[in-house]
Amino acid sequence: LFDSFMRHLPALAFMKDEHGRYLYFNAACQTFFDQSPMERLGKTDHELWPADIADELVRNDERVMTEGVALDTVEMVSGDSGVRYYRISKFPILRNAKPPLLAGIAFDITDKIQAENACSQLEAQLVQSQKMEAIGTLAGGNAHDFNNILSGIMGYVELAQMTLEPGDAVHD
């Protein structure tokens, strides 16, 4: 049952020993890494990932193992398909009088994060557009008011010109 469950689980599932060496990967991990589990088993995060990513993974693992509690977080990893973001739950598996193992299940949330980023960008564009619209409305209102004042002035100038002779100094 466990093997069937793990084979069909769409999330990445893994186990590590007390030294951070991988002991188990499910089929989803094999698909993600495009490698057989045998190529990754027995290795540590520093052997599999760039240093910055490995350091974060190890820090999270150490927190789980020292505190002895589950940790829910988002971790970034890079694979053949590029950078991916995972909502991950890591937890200790206690064994009788032996150091605990660390296990974890990770769900790919890359599409969700990308959609949230796109939504944030659209919101920023909308706010900018609304600001520009408000400035345009304000400028249009000011121009209209100024035009009304100028219309009155121009009307009085035309009336004054009608009463003056063409050669008059005020007319020019």
Side-chain angles (χ1 to χ4, degrees), residues 4-50:
S4 179
F5 176 76
M6 284 292 141
R7 192 171 42 253
H8 293 95
L9 182 67
L12 307 180
F14 59 89
M15 282 189 227
K16 298 179 186 179
D17 68 13
E18 68 272 14
H19 303 292
R21 290 185 302 255
Y22 284 93
L23 301 174
Y24 173 81
F25 287 108
N26 71 341
C29 288
Q30 182 175 347
T31 302
F32 174 77
F33 297 120
D34 196 26
Q35 291 179 324
S36 75
M38 298 311 293
E39 296 176 76
R40 299 183 81 79
L41 291 178
K43 295 184 179 175
T44 65
D45 289 317
H46 282 98
E47 294 172 295
L48 298 172
W49 307 106

Side-chain angles (χ1 to χ4, degrees), residues 15-89:
M15 282 189 227
K16 298 179 186 179
D17 68 13
E18 68 272 14
H19 303 292
R21 290 185 302 255
Y22 284 93
L23 301 174
Y24 173 81
F25 287 108
N26 71 341
C29 288
Q30 182 175 347
T31 302
F32 174 77
F33 297 120
D34 196 26
Q35 291 179 324
S36 75
M38 298 311 293
E39 296 176 76
R40 299 183 81 79
L41 291 178
K43 295 184 179 175
T44 65
D45 289 317
H46 282 98
E47 294 172 295
L48 298 172
W49 307 106
D52 56 336
I53 292 174
D55 290 342
E56 181 184 352
L57 299 177
V58 169
R59 269 193 308 276
N60 289 339
D61 291 353
E62 288 173 352
R63 187 169 160 208
V64 170
M65 298 304 273
T66 57
E67 295 176 14
V69 295
L71 172 68
D72 291 319
T73 188
V74 174
E75 292 180 343
M76 178 187 74
V77 296
S78 57
D80 292 339
S81 60
V83 174
R84 308 295 294 175
Y85 295 89
Y86 285 87
R87 178 81 182 149
I88 189 163
S89 293

Side-chain angles (χ1 to χ4, degrees), residues 90-163:
K90 292 182 176 184
F91 46 92
I93 297 178
L94 303 176
R95 305 181 295 170
N96 295 338
K98 294 182 182 177
L101 299 176
L102 180 127
I105 297 177
F107 295 92
D108 189 344
I109 59 168
T110 305
D111 294 339
K112 179 182 177 197
I113 287 180
Q114 289 172 343
E116 287 173 355
N117 289 343
C119 185
S120 294
Q121 289 175 346
L122 287 174
E123 285 176 0
Q125 288 175 352
L126 177 61
V127 167
Q128 183 64 22
S129 174
Q130 289 172 334
K131 287 179 187 177
M132 296 304 290
E133 181 183 3
I135 290 171
T137 301
L138 179 64
N142 286 343
H144 181 73
D145 290 346
F146 191 66
N147 194 34
N148 287 345
I149 294 169
L150 285 178
S151 293
I153 293 170
M154 294 300 289
Y156 283 116
V157 167
E158 288 177 11
L159 286 174
Q161 282 181 332
M162 289 183 351
T163 61

